[in-house]
Amino acid sequence: MSKASGKTPGTIIEALQAYLDACPLLKGRRLRVDYLPSGPPEYMISPTPGDEILKRYCRGAAQKQYLFVLASVHWYGEDELTNLENSGFYEKLAGWMRQKTRQRALPQLPAGCTAQSLEPVSTGYLYNATATEARYQIQCRLIYYDKGV
């Protein structure tokens, strides 16, 4: 169910936002969609381009993927412990996704779609940095079954 409305989410990105927003690693921080402000710590998810259909089935059904990045802005600089913590967050997040997939505790998707796995497709990495702030991100994918219309 969508956190905001109490209804089944209408879109995949809405379902992912609600699901990932509940991740204990985000420590109750707001997870935005397509917007990452400066001023750490901030978190964002954003769709990325890629082939949607993995496998077609009869009558319009398909196994699909939804590619996205989870990005964040953190304090950054010469302090090695801070930078280790920033990178470590993404290792833990990747582990959390794999664990949730093993437990079959996946996002509730829009009607007609069923989540099959949520997984990282890259390690978390430093994407951009200034003297005091850095953007880190991890590329992920949701694999799901769409029964078609």
Side-chain angles (χ1 to χ4, degrees):
M1 301 237 285
S2 170
K3 187 171 82 173
S5 65
K7 297 179 184 176
T8 300
T11 63
I12 300 286
I13 193 72
E14 182 183 354
L16 284 169
Q17 180 190 31
Y19 181 79
L20 293 168
D21 201 34
C23 174
L25 296 169
L26 291 174
K27 303 173 189 166
R29 303 277 183 195
R30 182 175 177 202
L31 181 62
R32 299 170 188 266
V33 175
D34 291 337
Y35 177 68
L36 186 61
S38 62
E42 294 286 348
Y43 301 90
M44 170 197 78
I45 57 171
S46 184
T48 57
D51 291 335
E52 179 184 42
I53 308 254
L54 297 175
K55 186 174 185 180
R56 290 187 190 278
Y57 300 104
C58 62
R59 299 185 189 156
Q63 182 183 47
K64 296 181 176 180
Q65 67 178 350
Y66 189 91
L67 301 169
F68 65 98
V69 296
L70 192 147
S72 61
V73 173
H74 294 279
W75 296 115
Y76 169 83
E78 293 181 25
D79 179 23
E80 188 173 331
L81 292 178
T82 298
N83 299 339
L84 283 169
E85 183 179 320
N86 295 342
S87 291
F89 167 82
Y90 284 96
E91 283 183 47
K92 292 174 187 173
L93 182 66
W96 180 82
M97 286 182 199
R98 286 189 284 273
Q99 178 185 31
K100 290 297 185 182
T101 293
R102 280 191 306 273
Q103 295 170 344
R104 309 299 304 154
L106 296 166
Q108 180 181 354
L109 302 181
C113 298
T114 305
Q116 295 179 322
S117 68
L118 180 63
E119 59 191 23
V121 294
S122 75
T123 58
Y125 57 95
L126 178 66
Y127 181 78
N128 193 7
T130 67
T132 59
E133 295 180 5
R135 175 180 168 162
Y136 293 83
Q137 67 183 38
I138 188 169
Q139 297 169 324
C140 307
R141 76 177 179 165
L142 170 72
I143 297 177
Y144 64 100
Y145 175 79
D146 183 346
K147 70 177 186 177
V149 178

